[in-house]
Amino acid sequence: MSYTSVTGFPRIGKLRELKFATESFFKNEITESDLLNTAHELKEGSWKKQSAEGIDFIPSNDFSFYDNVLDTAVLFNVIPSRYRNLPVSELQRYFAMARGYQKDGLDVHALPMKKWFNTNYHYIVPEFEDGTSISLAGNKPVEEYLEAKKLGLQTKPMIIGPFTFLSLLKFTGNSTKESIASDLTAEYVKLIKCLSDNGAEWIQFDEPSLVKDLDDADISLFEKIYQSILENKSGCKVLLNTYFGDTRDIYSKLITMDFDGLGLDLIEGRDSLELIKKNGFSNNALLFAGVVNGKNIWRNDYAKTLDILAQIKAAGVSQERIVISTSCSLLHVPYTLDNETKLEDGIKKHFVFAYEKLGELRELAYIADHTDERAKEILNQNADILTADRNATDPEVQKKLAAITEADFVRLPAFAEREKIQKEKFGLPAIPTTTIGSFPQTKEIKKERSLYTKGQITKDEYETFIKERIREVIRLQEEIGLDVLVHGEFERNDMVEYFGEHLNGYLFTEKAWVQSYGTRCVKPPIIWGDVSRKEAITVKWSKYAAEQTDKPVKGMLTGPVTILNWSFPREDISRKESVYQIALAIRDEVLDLEANGIRIIQIDEAALREKLPLRRSDWYSEYLDWAIPTFRLVSGKVKADTQIHTHMCYSEFTDIIPAIDDMDADVITFEASRSDLQILDSLKENNFKTEVGPGVYDIHSPRVPSVEEIESALKKMLEKIDASKLWANPDCGLKTRGNEETIPSLKNLVAAAKRVRDSL
Ligand code: GLN
Ligand code: ZN
């Protein structure tokens, strides 16, 4: 019987139990041991479920209280001294690194966060100070292994591998990857020994960095690390696991090394299969074939998967050596369809979430081994579902797509002229202040929305409530003294889901949460068919907000690339075709806002950077060549004196600055506060034309920045950015924050901008 394996399992809980427990812990409502209990129950539940589904390689140490990369840093004692010195428990120190610490006169920033490869999951960027003594200080992988063992379950502990861990580290001093590699490797070796002594048979090293472009130095670093690991396996079997792409730069090396298992992504790894066919495979290792998609939720095409497996066999890997596996951790998909009560069965049958994917692994293993009646039945059932009609095509949408011409992508007049016109029209002060759109979504607001969705209050009552909040937030912004106001986005549950609800072709789930960072989860909608706008989406709210004030109110839309990237995409048409459909729908909304007097419109492309291909050679051909024109398609038809803003989370676009400028927005705001300000140098070098608002404080942390701190951030920015192009704003939307910290923070922001403005 073919083996089955899971790379990693979601951990936030089917009903987000971990989120709620952790947040209660942050508020001191429950104790540390309560939190540990919840964690144990969740782990136990996931292990038992996988075991019941007959999974052979069940992961452990895939659990995390916040993030696996942070876990790895703490495990090896890579803890900057500012956290080391805090007078708190281990777990609290861990959370301080993730969230910052502000208490009893102590004030420590959180470590920065970044997107995990090409996903919407964020990891904590570990920081390495010179003089840090790397040592196996923690015990989490062993504890979790034993926790499962006590339940009678043998697991394969998974851990971020040393090569990837090194590549994610930020070095603040003179140390380098190369200079600490052997110390770090020695500690990984100790970990293997420790796990092995406790009974672990396998250990899984996750090395997604291997799917990026690798140069000779990378390859020799990798070899050095793993030669030493493989010489010191302590009787444990080592699975080298890769995902999110193929390993074309190092594959031929990998298959000559003494790994016991090699995990390859056959879904996103465009060349994985070709690599096997061309180079063969190791003589002894098991091939963990990632054929069940860990990122999307469409049912696996069994016939296609069997064909892939057949090709692998034909390349010389015998049946017994193939382990049917997930393409990456199931962290990126929701828990289970069982919680979905509103989707029709005819629709639901097309989807598989984490629990259901376990069933796919089991069935695939069965049909890979058997040709009996049951195998035929499984195959037939699968084929029936896949060929069932989805009614996906809308002729109206097809007609509009066909009518797009080059002119739709060009905004006139050109930027320089528009900038002049807009300065005159809006008459904003130098370094105008604004926010990114959302204001705190208080308990009260969430409660009201839930009453409304449950039908316990009427639409009228709900809308009256939202309008009151809008009035309040407009007053508040006027009091604070912001220059460009927003309506606060109180009507939105989520920036993508809300838009999806107003688009044809979209489907929604009730409980299909996916962890985004820490305790934050998102519920990505599903693109089911051709997309078009059902009705005006935001016009009513923006218009209402604008009527409450004389100051300009910025309309707030989610951009098509972000809507696509944060949805579960279709697999039957290309992303480009899908995104152009969404762009046409959002363009209708842009023009509607403009016609209703909203003359500053922000089109958020929070997730544009996130799906940039991991290999540079694919950046344009596979992505930017359609993602950037998409933005121009949405905004190209507005008047010269309508100002188009965009917002991107994170500033990791140093390498693609010309492409970002090419979006041809008038203003772009982005995160710059958690990462260093090197982006500013690049803006300058590239003669960036678009006006910019690099976030001056970090909204992902509850700490309140002082006026001086913001002032000094702005002054630093002015060294690189012309005052006529600089805006002052927080680094992202405020919806996840409370008013307690938001109001003082914004007041400090306005005060700082004034000081800087006066000094010009
Ligand atoms: N306008 C959105 C907000 O403020 C942007 C959020 C985001 O970038 N993630 O919430
Ligand atoms: Zn953002």
Side-chain angles (χ1 to χ4, degrees), residues 415 418-420 422-423 428 432 643-646 661 665-670 683 688-694 721-727:
F415 176 82
R418 293 196 315 259
E419 193 180 26
K420 246 186 268 155
Q422 291 169 13
K423 289 245 186 262
L428 296 169
Q643 190 171 62
I644 297 291
H645 288 220
T646 187
D661 225 10
D666 298 308
V667 182
I668 176 168
T669 56
F670 54 85
L683 294 178
F688 201 66
K689 70 174 196 310
T690 316
E691 296 185 7
V692 290
I721 297 168
D722 197 83
S724 69
K725 288 210 185 277
L726 184 64
W727 289 64

XYZ file of all heavy atoms in Angstrom, residues 415 418-420 422-423 428 432 643-646 661 665-670 683 688-694 721-727:
281
model
N 1.218 61.618 -15.871
C 1.302 61.883 -14.437
C 1.681 63.319 -14.081
O 1.035 63.956 -13.246
C 2.289 60.908 -13.777
C 2.480 61.199 -12.324
C 1.569 60.728 -11.388
C 3.542 62.003 -11.887
C 1.712 61.035 -10.044
C 3.691 62.302 -10.540
C 2.768 61.817 -9.614
N -1.097 65.700 -14.444
C -2.159 65.400 -13.463
C -1.762 65.904 -12.085
O -2.561 66.466 -11.348
C -2.382 63.893 -13.355
C -2.944 63.240 -14.569
C -3.494 61.861 -14.271
N -2.676 60.972 -13.450
C -1.908 59.974 -13.931
N -1.822 59.757 -15.239
N -1.228 59.203 -13.110
N -0.492 65.706 -11.738
C -0.039 66.079 -10.398
C -0.268 67.575 -10.184
O -0.750 68.002 -9.137
C 1.440 65.709 -10.226
C 1.907 65.771 -8.775
C 3.380 65.411 -8.598
O 4.167 65.599 -9.576
O 3.754 64.944 -7.505
N 0.080 68.347 -11.205
C -0.117 69.802 -11.122
C -1.596 70.129 -10.920
O -1.975 70.887 -10.031
C 0.391 70.458 -12.417
C 1.609 71.363 -12.208
C 1.970 72.087 -13.506
C 3.010 71.286 -14.303
N 3.010 71.526 -15.737
N -3.950 68.338 -9.818
C -4.500 67.869 -8.541
C -4.025 68.718 -7.364
O -4.767 68.978 -6.419
C -4.130 66.398 -8.319
C -4.850 65.472 -9.298
C -4.320 64.052 -9.290
O -3.572 63.665 -8.385
N -4.679 63.277 -10.303
N -2.777 69.194 -7.414
C -2.276 70.051 -6.325
C -3.158 71.281 -6.237
O -3.523 71.738 -5.146
C -0.823 70.470 -6.581
C 0.156 69.329 -6.429
C 1.118 69.546 -5.262
C 2.185 68.477 -5.198
N 1.997 67.387 -4.280
N -4.051 70.786 -0.732
C -3.655 70.166 0.541
C -2.351 70.786 1.042
O -1.537 71.252 0.248
C -3.475 68.661 0.339
C -4.739 67.898 -0.049
C -4.401 66.472 -0.476
C -5.737 67.884 1.115
N 0.618 65.953 3.427
C -0.761 65.752 3.870
C -0.883 64.483 4.720
O -0.166 63.506 4.475
C -1.543 65.586 2.562
C -0.586 65.762 1.441
C 0.796 65.778 1.979
N -7.956 61.955 -8.025
C -6.660 61.439 -7.575
C -6.783 59.966 -7.213
O -7.587 59.590 -6.366
C -6.194 62.247 -6.366
C -4.764 61.964 -5.970
C -4.280 62.950 -4.915
O -4.821 63.012 -3.813
N -3.257 63.733 -5.246
N -5.955 59.147 -7.857
C -5.983 57.705 -7.596
C -4.850 57.333 -6.629
O -3.674 57.567 -6.904
C -5.828 56.906 -8.909
C -7.014 57.185 -9.845
C -5.701 55.418 -8.618
C -8.361 56.631 -9.390
N -5.266 56.787 -5.496
C -4.280 56.278 -4.530
C -4.248 54.759 -4.647
O -5.218 54.144 -5.063
C -4.701 56.607 -3.099
C -4.572 58.047 -2.735
N -4.114 58.459 -1.511
C -4.859 59.171 -3.423
C -4.125 59.791 -1.460
N -4.574 60.253 -2.606
N -3.127 54.200 -4.244
C -3.128 52.761 -4.030
C -2.370 52.484 -2.742
O -1.631 53.329 -2.246
C -2.532 51.973 -5.217
O -2.732 50.575 -4.976
C -1.054 52.249 -5.410
N 5.821 51.947 -10.296
C 5.613 53.288 -10.848
C 4.726 53.218 -12.099
O 3.955 54.119 -12.397
C 6.966 53.920 -11.199
C 7.049 55.368 -10.736
O 6.144 55.804 -9.982
O 8.012 56.070 -11.114
N -0.442 55.168 -10.620
C -1.301 55.763 -9.590
C -0.777 57.168 -9.317
O 0.332 57.521 -9.742
C -1.258 54.924 -8.328
N -1.561 57.982 -8.600
C -1.079 59.313 -8.228
C -0.353 59.297 -6.890
O 0.586 60.057 -6.679
C -2.260 60.294 -8.193
C -2.899 60.429 -9.572
O -2.160 60.701 -10.539
O -4.129 60.223 -9.696
N -0.819 58.451 -5.985
C -0.205 58.348 -4.662
C -0.165 56.875 -4.259
O -1.122 56.141 -4.507
C -1.049 59.096 -3.590
C -0.371 59.018 -2.214
C -1.294 60.549 -3.989
N 0.947 56.463 -3.637
C 0.979 55.098 -3.099
C 1.394 55.132 -1.630
O 2.343 55.822 -1.267
C 1.916 54.176 -3.914
C 1.983 52.792 -3.253
C 3.313 54.749 -4.068
C 2.621 51.730 -4.107
N 0.643 54.439 -0.793
C 1.037 54.300 0.616
C 1.461 52.856 0.834
O 0.913 51.945 0.221
C -0.136 54.612 1.562
O -1.235 53.761 1.235
C -0.577 56.053 1.440
N 2.450 52.671 1.713
C 2.913 51.301 1.963
C 3.569 51.210 3.322
O 3.844 52.218 3.968
C 3.883 50.847 0.867
C 5.049 51.774 0.651
C 6.182 51.677 1.421
C 4.991 52.757 -0.338
C 7.261 52.531 1.223
C 6.057 53.612 -0.549
C 7.194 53.507 0.236
N 13.666 54.297 -4.137
C 12.708 55.212 -4.772
C 13.465 56.356 -5.415
O 13.214 56.758 -6.548
C 11.720 55.764 -3.740
C 10.754 54.752 -3.113
C 9.871 55.435 -2.075
C 9.894 54.078 -4.173
N 11.383 57.735 -8.696
C 9.977 57.346 -8.550
C 9.086 58.565 -8.714
O 9.248 59.560 -8.012
C 9.797 56.733 -7.158
C 8.602 55.864 -6.996
C 8.495 54.666 -7.683
C 7.581 56.215 -6.121
C 7.390 53.831 -7.503
C 6.469 55.388 -5.943
C 6.384 54.187 -6.632
N 8.124 58.504 -9.620
C 7.326 59.694 -9.888
C 6.088 59.787 -8.991
O 5.662 60.849 -8.595
C 6.912 59.739 -11.361
C 5.891 58.677 -11.767
C 5.427 58.872 -13.213
C 4.166 58.123 -13.590
N 4.012 56.742 -13.309
N 5.529 58.640 -8.662
C 4.301 58.600 -7.865
C 4.552 59.201 -6.474
O 5.608 58.973 -5.893
C 3.842 57.130 -7.718
O 3.956 56.480 -8.986
C 2.415 57.036 -7.226
N 3.580 59.976 -5.950
C 3.726 60.480 -4.588
C 3.653 59.307 -3.617
O 2.988 58.314 -3.904
C 2.631 61.521 -4.298
C 2.779 62.753 -5.188
C 1.785 63.868 -4.867
O 1.041 63.767 -3.870
O 1.769 64.844 -5.633
N 4.322 59.447 -2.465
C 4.427 58.287 -1.569
C 4.095 58.592 -0.115
O 4.470 59.636 0.425
C 5.853 57.668 -1.591
C 6.117 56.985 -2.907
C 6.904 58.705 -1.291
N 3.452 57.649 0.525
C 3.221 57.697 1.969
C 3.777 56.441 2.603
O 3.037 55.485 2.823
N 5.104 56.447 2.901
C 5.668 55.267 3.575
C 5.160 55.289 5.022
O 5.320 56.292 5.707
C 7.178 55.510 3.542
C 7.381 56.732 2.648
C 6.113 57.499 2.672
N 13.064 61.830 -0.070
C 11.867 62.095 -0.874
C 11.579 63.591 -0.855
O 11.608 64.215 0.204
C 10.656 61.332 -0.293
C 10.911 59.835 -0.363
C 9.365 61.694 -1.015
C 9.940 59.014 0.428
N 11.285 64.125 -1.990
C 10.971 65.538 -2.075
C 9.699 65.849 -1.279
O 8.734 65.090 -1.326
C 10.762 65.883 -3.548
C 10.838 67.376 -3.748
O 11.971 67.872 -3.870
O 9.769 68.030 -3.739
N 9.714 66.962 -0.549
C 8.569 67.306 0.308
C 7.273 67.366 -0.502
O 6.200 67.070 0.016
C 8.815 68.633 1.013
N 7.373 67.730 -1.761
C 6.147 67.837 -2.562
C 5.547 66.474 -2.888
O 4.450 66.378 -3.410
C 6.456 68.568 -3.868
O 7.277 67.733 -4.672
N 6.294 65.407 -2.577
C 5.783 64.074 -2.918
C 5.467 63.227 -1.689
O 5.024 62.081 -1.813
C 6.802 63.324 -3.782
C 6.914 63.864 -5.196
C 7.304 62.774 -6.170
C 7.546 63.309 -7.571
N 6.307 63.448 -8.328
N 5.692 63.793 -0.505
C 5.564 62.953 0.699
C 4.214 63.106 1.403
O 3.720 64.203 1.605
C 6.701 63.302 1.671
C 6.778 62.453 2.941
C 7.078 60.992 2.606
C 7.829 63.001 3.907
N 3.640 61.988 1.807
C 2.423 61.941 2.617
C 2.756 61.315 3.974
O 3.758 60.610 4.102
C 1.349 61.088 1.931
C 0.739 61.718 0.709
C 1.381 62.023 -0.460
C -0.621 62.119 0.551
N 0.491 62.580 -1.343
C -0.755 62.658 -0.755
C -1.763 62.074 1.366
C -1.969 63.144 -1.247
C -2.967 62.554 0.865
C -3.059 63.093 -0.423
